[in-house]
Amino acid sequence: MPAMAASSPVRETRIGVCNLCEAICGLALTVERASDGSERVTEVRGHDADPLSRGHVCPKAFALADVLEDPDRLRHPVRRVPGPDGDRWERLGWDEALDLVARGLADAVNRHGRDALALYLGNPNVHSLGAMTHGTALAGSFRTRNKFSATSVDQLPQQLVARLLYGHQLLLPVPDLDRTDLFVVVGANPMASNGSLMTAPDFPGRLRDLQSRGGRMVVLDPRRTETARRADEHHFVRPGTDAYLLLAMLHVVLDEGLATPPPWVDGVTEVADAVAEFTPALAAERTGVDAEVVVRLARELATTPRAVLYGRMGVSTQEFGTVCAWAVQTLNLLTGHVDVPGGALVTSPAVDVVGRGIVGRGHHGLWHSRVRGLPEFSGELPVAALAEEIRTPGDGQVRALLTVAGNPVSSTPDGAGLAAVLPDLDFMASVDLYVNETTRHADVILPTTTALERDHYDLVFHALAVRNTARFTPAVLRPGPEARHDWQVFAALHDRVQRLLDDPRPRRRRWATSARLRLSPTRLLAVLLATGRRTTLRRLRRTPGGVDLGPLAPSFPGGLQTRDHRVDLAQPLVLDELARLRTASGPRTTRDELLLIGRRHQRDNNSWLHNTPRLTRGRPRHHLLAHPEDLAARGIADGTQVRVTSRVGSVVVEVAATEDVMPGVVSLPHGYGHAAQGAGLTHATTLPGVSVNDLTDPELLDVSGNAALNGVPVRISPA
Ligand SMILES: Nc1nc2c(c(=O)[nH]1)N[C@H]1C(S)=C(S)[C@@H](COP(=O)(O)OP(=O)(O)OC[C@H]3O[C@@H](n4cnc5c(=O)[nH]c(N)nc54)[C@H](O)[C@@H]3O)O[C@H]1N2
Ligand SMILES: Nc1nc2c(c(=O)[nH]1)N[C@H]1C(S)=C(S)[C@@H](COP(=O)(O)OP(=O)(O)OC[C@H]3O[C@@H](n4cnc5c(=O)[nH]c(N)nc54)[C@H](O)[C@@H]3O)O[C@H]1N2
Ligand code: SF4
Ligand SMILES: [Mo]
């Protein structure tokens, strides 16, 4: 290294990855090293040579650098010390903190049994290699039935349907965006979200390509979203009624003899019988979409050789989410668009988490929650049941809680109700970077390194991407001497808790887990890659931008995970739901009620990063959006404060009149309302807005147990 004048910092470019959303964009970061050896990120750009993201980034990528320097971020473990003027956070050393947490968790189990300990795993867990390799092992070692995660406020119906139809909860065909000619989007806003269960970095660019090759995008959404604006066709759908629309499309396809299912699909006659009553006329009455449009869309989907239907949050977090998820797959299957280029195909990732059984197939309803009898899915209970499991006395009552990278007070239905019962716990600990609306109730918070300080390989989103690629990104920055990686925290907690339990796991299993958790995620990854034989860690280290493994390719029926390598559409759970839907009258609203839906913005990221100035400046975006007619009918003026009331709660927020929402619909973004719940973030607590989940209802669930966060009946009045 050449000698440098002490005053001139050294700059170099390092390849990293953004782990904030499912697009997993490759980054080229400028890192500046000062003469004292300290390093900081001074610039974040997209990495042009990345075979998947091709240079794309969105404004959120810069927040990764902001997090590193954020004074609000916890850099060492802390203990909450209650005082007369509120809580104080006292610094702890790692050993002391880990001992305290292990003691608190083990005590609850020793005194009250395993189910007395609840876990909540938040969204960023899926975006961390260490959480996937080590966190899941720690969670399993507790053997509690009270395991919860963000899955049941998100994609649970889609995982359940994947399990039922394709034999594995993660075997989900991904829209072949780069080759399709007709992309029908129901309840998703990829222009803002950059895709979900469809890793599609640079969605805007891929859409431009689609449209310039003569392809079309059709959007069905109660709001004229950023995606709807770019669509060739957009139709308003009444929230929570999509099942009628999708089933009517199936009706048309089957009735008009347009079905061309592959030979490995069974149950077509049962489906034809089951959808016979779901006519386009009924769909029009319930959804607000013209019957001719429903018929035409069904015909276009069936007759366009390269076409695909795609549904996401809007259709999974609603009362008939499982029916919607099933209908989306069934429409794609019956119109011959599954497992063909330009339709929807499953990936063949370098680490095949599905085929190699790294993630289990999934199961549903093997046991039920104690209080409300809600079904488990793959060992997790619906998070809508968490508060009542803490609140309700009796055998199996939750007495201790561990949250990892999550914020359920802000992100799950009746968050305020959950916040109200957290202080009743005997003990609570959180693994998190911040004091947030949830972790502020913890006795101890254990902060871990951030994304840019740890090695990353995406075990989940390569498996859900529009193209097969593989990419290993070594840590961009060296963590500080006091920092711990999440996997180190998980390994330490495993060993300490097992030592303290009166009834630990059998010694052989304990030792095996302990030994495995001592290996770093990168060592484990090397083994997974080597045995997967598509590439090696050594090759990935040589090409930090990632290697291209080609477009998605057909793999069914061999690749199906069902026992007989066939797909049975006639699933009893779904057929029972159709019977329930037949007698339902649509969303249960009275005349003065409106239906509340959610909203994501390109510069929001669920409930965090609201303290980074770069993402929060600009036009406020926390408003309740409402149609001018609905406001006029209630004597409410644009821009004024309104009271929004649901069965569970009430909030006051500014309203913005817009014809971008369907009449009868109002919209609030989630992840706001930091001031009300007193998060420890400096800027966020001054950010206006309310938490939409103070209105959403833990009683409104889909059959899978997923929360119906969309289509919540509310009333609004001048505040
Ligand atoms: N009404 C309504 N509610 C919703 C939704 C909606 O559309 N409408 N969306 C739902 C969806 S899809 C999701 S995924 C959930 C998300 O819900 P959650 O997962 O509960 O919440 P997040 O806001 O993602 O919170 C992530 C937390 O993890 C911390 N964190 C970030 N990175 C790391 C890390 O590397 N290590 C550790 N230890 N911590 C980290 C952050 O500081 C933050 O506190 O919200 C759901 N809630
Ligand atoms: N910028 C940004 N990107 C993100 C995130 C983020 O917070 N910010 N979060 C990430 C996460 S965790 C996820 S899960 C994904 C989600 O990705 P998406 O599903 O694409 O995101 P949403 O914005 O929730 O889109 C849901 C759409 O459904 C519509 N909708 C609501 N109710 C109904 C209904 O009843 N019927 C129909 N047809 N539509 C309805 C809403 O108006 C909205 O446009 O985004 C990811 N990407
Ligand atoms: S789209 Fe934005 S937030 Fe998502 S991975 Fe890419 S840069 Fe990060
Ligand atoms: Mo999500």
Side-chain angles (χ1 to χ4, degrees):
M1 163 130 349
M4 282 280 164
S7 55
S8 64
V10 184
R11 274 195 201 93
E12 63 178 77
T13 300
R14 294 183 196 161
I15 303 306
V17 61
C18 177
N19 72 336
L20 291 175
C21 86
E22 298 178 34
I24 60 172
C25 297
L27 306 176
L29 302 119
T30 307
V31 176
E32 207 171 87
R33 190 168 56 248
S35 51
D36 64 357
S38 64
E39 294 185 330
R40 51 190 294 259
V41 173
T42 54
E43 206 188 327
V44 182
R45 278 165 294 124
H47 184 217
D48 294 330
D50 189 292
L52 184 63
S53 64
R54 311 180 301 198
H56 177 261
V57 276
C58 84
K60 287 194 296 303
F62 297 92
L64 289 178
D66 293 341
V67 165
L68 286 168
E69 300 186 6
D70 184 355
D72 290 345
R73 179 166 60 89
L74 296 173
R75 286 168 170 78
H76 43 73
V78 287
R79 173 196 358 224
R80 186 167 51 84
V81 185
D85 317 316
D87 294 342
R88 212 162 43 74
W89 293 96
E90 182 184 282
R91 180 175 184 158
L92 290 178
W94 271 103
D95 277 330
E96 192 186 1
L98 289 166
D99 284 341
L100 264 176
V101 172
R103 172 55 68 196
L105 302 181
D107 274 355
V109 175
N110 289 341
R111 288 196 195 123
H112 307 286
R114 286 176 206 154
D115 295 340
L117 169 60
L119 307 176
Y120 175 83
L121 308 177
N123 169 278
N125 283 293
V126 250
H127 297 272
S128 158
L129 176 61
M132 295 315 291
T133 56
H134 288 58
T136 46
L138 173 71
S141 75
F142 291 130
R143 295 179 295 170
T144 170
R145 289 188 167 186
N146 283 310
K147 197 172 124 195
F148 305 88
S149 84
T151 291
S152 50
V153 280
D154 194 344
Q155 78 289 353
L156 175 53
Q158 275 147 309
Q159 280 182 248
L160 173 61
V161 164
R163 171 69 184 95
L164 294 174
L165 295 182
Y166 305 119
H168 192 289
Q169 56 174 325
L170 291 184
L171 195 63
L172 275 161
V174 182
D176 192 6
L177 201 54
D178 296 341
R179 290 181 291 184
T180 199
D181 295 325
L182 175 63
F183 185 46
V184 184
V185 179
V186 205
N189 187 10
M191 283 297 288
S193 70
N194 245 295
S196 182
L197 301 182
M198 174 183 76
T199 287
D202 192 19
F203 179 82
R206 291 179 198 267
L207 174 61
R208 216 175 302 122
D209 293 347
L210 186 157
Q211 286 169 326
S212 56
R213 64 176 178 263
R216 296 179 349 106
M217 176 170 74
V218 178
V219 172
L220 296 147
D221 199 301
R223 181 166 77 90
R224 189 176 299 116
T225 60
E226 297 78 354
T227 307
R229 286 177 187 284
R230 287 280 308 270
D232 299 272
E233 202 178 313
H234 166 238
H235 304 279
F236 282 135
V237 190
R238 191 159 185 250
T241 64
D242 301 81
Y244 294 100
L245 189 142
L246 297 167
L247 294 172
M249 285 174 69
L250 276 172
H251 174 108
V252 172
V253 167
L254 288 158
D255 197 49
E256 298 190 355
L258 298 172
T260 51
W264 35 266
V265 167
D266 298 320
V268 181
T269 345
E270 286 94 327
V271 173
D273 288 345
V275 301
E277 287 171 48
F278 291 96
T279 59
L282 177 65
E285 181 200 313
R286 295 290 158 85
T287 65
V289 179
D290 288 347
E292 305 87 83
V293 172
V294 177
V295 173
R296 179 170 55 75
L297 284 179
R299 288 180 187 157
E300 283 177 6
L301 187 69
T303 57
T304 307
R306 292 180 170 223
V308 63
L309 176 64
Y310 166 69
R312 228 358 230 120
M313 278 296 280
V315 285
S316 85
T317 51
Q318 58 158 281
E319 192 184 342
F320 288 96
T322 295
V323 173
C324 289
W326 173 88
V328 166
Q329 296 301 329
T330 300
L331 272 164
N332 281 333
L333 283 161
L334 291 187
T335 53
H337 294 312
V338 172
D339 204 43
V340 294
L345 302 109
V346 298
T347 56
S348 36
V351 179
D352 184 5
V353 289
V354 170
R356 297 182 53 207
I358 297 166
V359 175
R361 293 162 181 280
H363 43 78
H364 187 237
L366 289 191
W367 64 84
H368 293 81
S369 69
R370 181 181 62 107
V371 178
R372 219 190 313 172
L374 299 175
E376 62 80 39
F377 179 78
S378 288
E380 283 182 20
L381 289 170
V383 69
L386 175 55
E388 72 206 22
E389 293 296 333
I390 298 173
R391 196 188 301 123
T392 315
D395 229 22
Q397 181 184 5
V398 169
R399 315 282 185 133
L401 172 67
L402 174 68
T403 72
V404 183
N407 191 3
V409 166
S410 174
S411 49
T412 69
D414 191 18
L418 177 62
V421 297
L422 292 179
D424 298 344
L425 291 165
D426 293 346
F427 182 77
M428 175 173 162
S430 298
V431 182
D432 208 292
L433 307 177
Y434 290 97
V435 178
N436 67 25
E437 289 76 1
T438 306
T439 63
R440 67 185 283 255
H441 298 281
D443 295 288
V444 179
I445 308 178
L446 305 171
T448 59
T449 51
T450 74
L452 294 177
E453 299 166 313
R454 58 194 185 215
D455 296 353
H456 189 62
Y457 177 92
D458 220 299
L459 287 177
V460 177
F461 298 110
H462 283 311
L464 294 167
V466 296
R467 191 172 179 90
N468 290 312
T469 61
R471 176 183 56 204
F472 173 75
T473 356
V476 171
L477 298 175
R478 214 172 328 113
E482 270 209 76
R484 295 284 166 97
H485 294 301
D486 50 6
W487 66 270
Q488 292 171 315
V489 172
F490 301 140
L493 280 180
H494 172 268
D495 291 357
R496 279 172 163 85
V497 171
Q498 290 298 324
R499 264 202 302 276
L500 293 172
L501 287 179
D502 295 341
D503 177 24
R505 299 169 75 205
R507 190 185 306 169
R508 289 244 312 278
R509 305 200 62 172
R510 213 158 70 213
W511 287 357
T513 308
S514 186
R516 190 167 81 82
L517 294 188
R518 268 195 292 274
L519 296 178
S520 73
T522 305
R523 294 269 306 275
L524 292 172
L525 173 70
V527 176
L528 290 173
L529 285 169
T531 50
R533 297 181 180 195
R534 296 209 63 184
T535 186
T536 60
L537 186 62
R538 184 187 288 190
R539 180 168 171 225
L540 294 185
R541 279 192 188 278
R542 278 200 309 265
T543 34
V547 297
D548 189 16
L549 301 173
L552 305 186
S555 62
F556 287 174
L560 286 168
Q561 295 289 315
T562 47
R563 219 157 277 149
D564 55 0
H565 293 284
R566 301 183 64 78
V567 171
D568 185 3
L569 299 174
Q571 294 294 328
L573 180 129
V574 176
L575 298 180
D576 287 351
E577 278 291 279
L578 296 194
R580 188 165 76 92
L581 188 63
R582 247 176 243 122
T583 54
S585 53
R588 290 179 287 257
T589 46
T590 57
R591 219 159 43 97
D592 64 336
E593 276 176 334
L594 302 167
L595 293 172
L596 174 68
I597 61 167
R599 176 161 100 235
R600 279 181 160 76
H601 188 277
Q602 194 201 36
R603 286 188 297 137
D604 288 323
N605 189 56
N606 292 331
S607 77
W608 62 299
L609 301 179
H610 271 159
N611 62 330
T612 101
R614 245 195 290 225
L615 294 185
T616 46
R617 66 178 164 230
R619 280 227 327 262
R621 44 180 198 262
H622 61 276
H623 293 78
L624 179 83
L625 304 182
H627 195 275
E629 285 168 17
D630 290 323
L631 293 183
R634 290 163 180 79
I636 297 171
D638 185 13
T640 59
Q641 301 272 325
V642 290
R643 178 166 292 283
V644 191
T645 307
S646 73
R647 188 189 74 83
V648 297
S650 174
V651 298
V652 173
V653 64
E654 291 105 300
V655 69
T658 172
E659 297 193 345
D660 285 344
V661 289
M662 188 178 186
V665 174
V666 287
S667 165
L668 272 178
H670 78 285
Y672 280 74
H674 307 283
Q677 289 290 347
L681 310 173
T682 42
H683 296 83
T685 39
T686 57
L687 198 71
V690 294
S691 176
V692 67
N693 286 318
D694 290 348
L695 297 169
T696 53
D697 189 339
E699 300 284 333
L700 288 179
L701 300 181
D702 168 55
V703 66
S704 63
N706 207 42
L709 303 169
N710 284 301
V712 178
V714 294
R715 272 172 287 115
I716 65 172
S717 55

